[in-house]
Every structure is written in structure tokens, then in C-alpha cells.
Amino acid sequence: MAKGAPPAPAASDGTNGTEGTVTNAEPKLRRAFSRTSTFRQQLAEQLDSMRDDMLQRLEPMLEAAGDAAEGMSMLLDPAKQMELLDEALAEPRVNASAEERAADTVRVAQEASAEVDTLQHMRDALIDPHKIMIKDKMAFVFGVVNVVLTAFWVGRWPETYHWFWMVKDVVLFTLRYLTYKQKGMHYMMLEYCYAANFVAFYYLFNSPQSAMLRRFSFAIMTGPLMWSIVAMRNSLVFHDGDKITTLMMHASPALTAWCMRWYPQASWTAGMSKAEVADWNSATWAQMALMPAVLNIVWVSSYYLFIFVVVNKRIQERGYQNMFTAMVMRPSARKSPLARLVLSAPESLRPLMYLGLHTTASWLSLLPTKLWYDNFIAHTAILSCILLWATWNGASFYFRVFAKKMMQEEIKKQEAAARKQLQAAAVNHLAAVAAAAAGSKKVS
């Protein structure tokens, strides 16, 4: 060995310096890899948990959206409606006779046709809403103008209000017939209320001097016609032409009865003696409650023979509607007490049962008409209450619609707020995870 050279390491160690350094670094590398693997596992678990949480929150919203999309596709697809109709027709009612099944088939087909028409109307509204809404706007304007003119006319010229009523009857009944004819509902215009309107017109424009017709007309106008506002839940809904027509058909005769009784035209009693005028302004219970019932009996007999005998086959084959089918046989009306009572009778007696109940109700409404004829305050009070009832029904209709719309808007707001909160929470969660990952990388 040369002088000054460092001594050789002992051979008994079996290693040199480099091998010792590598050996000491191995545990550190193992710990680093272990921490990295643990971090990756924790990160994967956090991401999976976040994904599951987001899916759990979004699943109800996605299901609701899917249901809404499916419902909308059904509404906008007449072919789907016809498919549902075929399924309904393929399931006849249990224990139903052949005639009932045939009648159900016709009714279902007609309702399906009406639904298709409604769907087409909805499509048109989606394409051009301004064109569709113009009818409702015109009806609303007409309804408001009608109320204003009626109040003015009754206050200014009560003795001539029946002229204004006649104009409304001619216009609205003509429009209703044209509309009902297209829908197969024109036989509904053979109902008692239309006949009562025409009888009152005959008295006012043909024989206003007749004491018998005066009492007769007053009774039917303040009896069956006036109380139909309550029984049929007539509503003062300005934008609905059909509801306005129905209310006019019952309210205008009631107002005319008030005008003709307490503010008659002077020409109607011209040339009468005092005794004749006294008789003209008086009435007995029999004259008010029994004589007008004759009209109902005549109408019931004629109506039954024509609707249920003469044209019954035509109505069934073509799916036409009348008041009997609308009030009793229509599925949406079968839950009413009247429909349940009529349907409890044998099928062959149901029309007679319906007309019998109609006649009984009409006669009961005639009983208090003498009180209205004799007492101005009582007559004015009952007329005001019934007109307020129709106004209340209209207000209930409007605010029910508005409340439904407000609820839908509130639900949309809440859903939007929930979506924003969910999105913000997801963003914050991802940011926190990313920050934790970046911090772990720096540490390693």
C-alpha cells in the first residue's frame, strides 16, 4: 500500500458506502408511495361519495322531468290518444248490457274526439297564442260591457229592459246554436229554460195587458229560471262566452221580472178600469204555483217523446249530447247526487226518473213566487242575493285559477333555487377536493 493512501474498508461488512445510502432511502420511498396510494384512495372515495350524493339529489328531479316530458308527449300526440282510446274500448264494463256498452263506446269516442280538438287547440296556441286568445279577450270585453249596460239600463229605463234582454238572447242563442251544432250539442237547446225564455218573450211583446200571462211569466222567471242560477252554479266569468250565455239565460229573465212587476210601462194598463188594474197587480198561490206548472208538464211530455223516442236512435248513432247525457251519463257527472239517484233506477226508467226530478224541482221553485210578486223588498233581496251568488261563483273560479298559477310559479321558483344551491354545493365540494389534492402534492 502506498504511503498516505486511505485504509481499505473492512471486507467483513459485505457492503460499500453507496449500498448503505440506498438501503437507508428505501423506507422513505415506501412511506411516500404508501401516502400517495392512501391519498388516491381517499380522493376516489370522496369523488364517489360526491357523485352518489349528486345523483341522489338529482334523481327525483330527473324522474319528474321525465314524467312531465312523457305527459307532454302524450298531450301533443293525437295518435297516442287514439291508442289509449282503443285500449279503453277494448275493456267493456262488467255486467253491462249491449246497449250500455254501445252507448259507452259512442261517448268515449266523442270525448276522445273532443280531446283531439283540445290538443289541436293547444298546438295552435303554442304556434300563435295571440290568435287563440283573441276570442277570450272579446268574450271578456263583452261580459264587462254587458254588466255595465245592464246596471245602467235597469237603473235608467227599467220599463224597457226586456228590449235589451231580447237583443242579448238573439245574439247569444244564435252563437250558441252555431257552436253547439259543430260539437253535436244542439239538442241541449231544447231544454226547459229556453222554452221559458220564449214564453216570457211572447207575453212581453205580444200580450203585456194579459193578467194571466203576466202572472204566468213572472212565476217562471222568478221560479225555475232564477233558481237555476243556484242549482246549476252559474258563474259570472267574463272571458267565457258559454258561461256568460248560460248566466244571461237565467239572470236576464229574473231582472226582467223585477222590472216589469215594479216598473211596468204605462201603455200596458192604458184603458183598464181600477178593478182590472187591481186584478192585473194581484195573484193567488194557485195562480203562481199551479198554473205555471202546466208549462213544465207540456214541456216534459214533448221533450220525452222527441228526445227519447223520435230522435233517440239518431242521437245514439251520432253521439249527440243532450242535458240527460250531460247531467247523468257523462263520466265526470256520475258522482253527483242527481246522477247517482237516476242511475239507481232501471235503465229503461232513467229518462223518466230524470225528468220527474226536473219537474219536481221546478214546481218547488214556484211555491215562493207569490211572496216575490207581493213584496218589493223581499223580491229585491232574493234577486240581489242570487246575483251575488253568481258573482261569488265567478270570483271563486278566477281565484282558483290564479291560486293554481301562483302555486305553479312558486314551485318553479323553489326548484330553481334548489338547483342553484345544488350547483353551488357541487362546485364548492369540487373546489375543496381539488385544493386538498394540490396540498397533498406539495407535501409529498
Side-chain angles (χ1 to χ4, degrees):
M1 180 180 294
K3 187 179 180 179
S12 60
D13 291 339
T15 60
N16 56 25
T18 303
E19 292 174 346
T21 302
V22 172
T23 301
N24 295 332
E26 285 179 356
K28 295 181 179 181
L29 290 173
R30 289 193 188 98
R31 288 194 297 271
F33 281 120
S34 177
R35 288 196 299 269
T36 303
S37 177
T38 302
F39 169 74
R40 288 178 179 176
Q41 184 178 359
Q42 292 177 350
L43 179 61
E45 291 176 354
Q46 290 178 353
L47 291 175
D48 290 340
S49 176
M50 181 182 66
R51 182 191 61 189
D52 294 340
D53 183 59
M54 292 180 65
L55 289 176
Q56 185 177 2
R57 294 187 181 186
L58 288 174
E59 185 176 1
M61 298 173 62
L62 293 175
E63 290 180 358
D67 294 340
E70 182 180 357
M72 183 59 69
S73 64
M74 291 177 62
L75 285 174
L76 298 178
D77 186 6
K80 184 65 177 178
Q81 293 292 327
M82 297 308 297
E83 181 181 344
L84 295 176
L85 171 62
D86 293 337
E87 293 177 1
L89 294 178
E91 299 178 358
R93 286 189 297 158
V94 180
N95 299 328
S97 63
E99 292 78 4
E100 288 179 331
R101 289 196 295 271
D104 286 344
T105 300
V106 173
R107 283 194 299 274
V108 173
Q110 186 176 5
E111 291 176 0
S113 177
E115 290 179 0
V116 171
D117 293 339
T118 302
L119 294 174
Q120 186 62 44
H121 178 81
M122 291 173 61
R123 282 184 170 181
D124 295 340
L126 291 174
I127 296 172
D128 188 1
H130 298 289
K131 182 178 179 181
I132 299 301
M133 294 297 291
I134 191 65
K135 294 181 180 179
D136 291 336
K137 292 179 181 179
M138 292 177 63
F140 186 92
V141 171
F142 175 84
V144 174
V145 171
N146 172 57
V147 171
V148 173
L149 280 180
T150 297
F152 175 77
W153 205 306
V154 170
R156 181 65 179 84
W157 306 296
E159 68 279 1
T160 63
Y161 174 73
H162 56 280
W163 286 96
F164 183 43
W165 169 37
M166 181 191 67
V167 172
K168 290 191 292 184
D169 252 12
V170 171
V171 173
L172 294 180
F173 282 178
T174 301
L175 293 175
R176 169 167 282 190
Y177 176 80
L178 296 176
T179 302
Y180 278 16
K181 179 67 175 177
Q182 294 178 349
K183 298 180 178 179
M185 301 168 59
H186 49 290
Y187 284 111
M188 295 182 70
M189 296 190 69
L190 296 177
E191 291 303 310
Y192 174 85
C193 294
Y194 296 92
N197 271 253
F198 293 137
V199 169
F201 276 138
Y202 178 82
Y203 159 70
L204 289 166
F205 293 98
N206 232 9
S207 304
Q209 296 85 8
S210 171
M212 188 271 290
L213 286 179
R214 176 178 173 81
R215 292 186 285 263
F216 191 100
S217 300
F218 181 91
I220 62 175
M221 287 191 285
T222 58
L225 290 178
M226 185 175 71
W227 286 103
S228 291
I229 298 174
V230 178
M232 304 298 292
R233 292 188 59 83
N234 290 172
S235 305
L236 183 60
V237 179
F238 293 114
H239 76 282
D240 193 321
D242 193 61
K243 291 183 182 296
I244 286 292
T245 302
T246 301
L247 178 60
M248 182 279 302
M249 179 173 63
H250 300 134
S252 287
L255 280 170
T256 300
W258 185 85
C259 293
M260 78 175 196
R261 173 66 184 95
W262 306 111
Y263 300 95
Q265 292 187 18
S267 60
W268 292 354
T269 56
M272 291 185 182
S273 63
K274 290 184 178 181
E276 290 174 335
V277 172
D279 178 65
W280 193 73
N281 283 320
S282 63
T284 64
W285 286 104
Q287 290 172 336
M288 301 300 290
L290 297 181
M291 290 295 294
V294 175
L295 173 64
N296 203 292
I297 295 174
V298 172
W299 173 81
V300 164
S301 303
S302 304
Y303 186 84
Y304 179 83
L305 290 174
F306 185 73
I307 295 295
F308 296 104
V309 178
V310 177
V311 297
N312 184 59
K313 184 177 180 180
R314 178 186 178 90
I315 291 174
Q316 296 293 332
E317 290 177 348
R318 302 193 179 189
Y320 290 153
Q321 295 187 44
N322 52 56
M323 192 59 71
F324 174 74
T325 59
M327 298 290 292
V328 177
M329 304 305 296
R330 190 173 56 185
S332 59
R334 292 189 174 215
K335 296 181 180 180
S336 67
L338 172 65
R340 288 199 298 266
L341 183 59
V342 173
L343 292 173
S344 66
E347 183 180 0
S348 59
L349 298 179
R350 289 172 185 173
L352 291 176
M353 171 73 81
Y354 168 74
L355 293 175
L357 293 173
H358 187 288
T359 302
T360 301
S362 297
W363 181 73
L364 290 175
S365 69
L366 292 172
L367 293 179
T369 53
K370 184 182 186 305
L371 176 61
W372 320 142
Y373 195 84
D374 291 341
N375 193 299
F376 172 82
I377 295 177
H379 187 190
T380 303
I382 191 62
L383 177 61
S384 300
C385 289
I386 290 180
L387 293 179
L388 285 174
W389 171 264
T391 306
W392 177 266
N393 290 339
S396 300
F397 173 85
Y398 277 117
F399 282 98
R400 184 168 61 248
V401 172
F402 293 155
K404 184 177 180 180
K405 183 177 180 181
M406 291 173 64
M407 289 177 64
Q408 291 175 346
E409 292 178 351
E410 185 63 26
I411 290 173
K412 290 180 180 178
K413 290 180 181 179
Q414 292 179 359
E415 291 177 349
R419 283 195 296 269
K420 290 181 178 179
Q421 291 178 358
L422 181 59
Q423 292 172 357
V427 170
N428 293 335
H429 196 81
L430 289 173
V433 172
S440 300
K441 288 182 179 180
K442 291 180 180 181
V443 171
S444 63

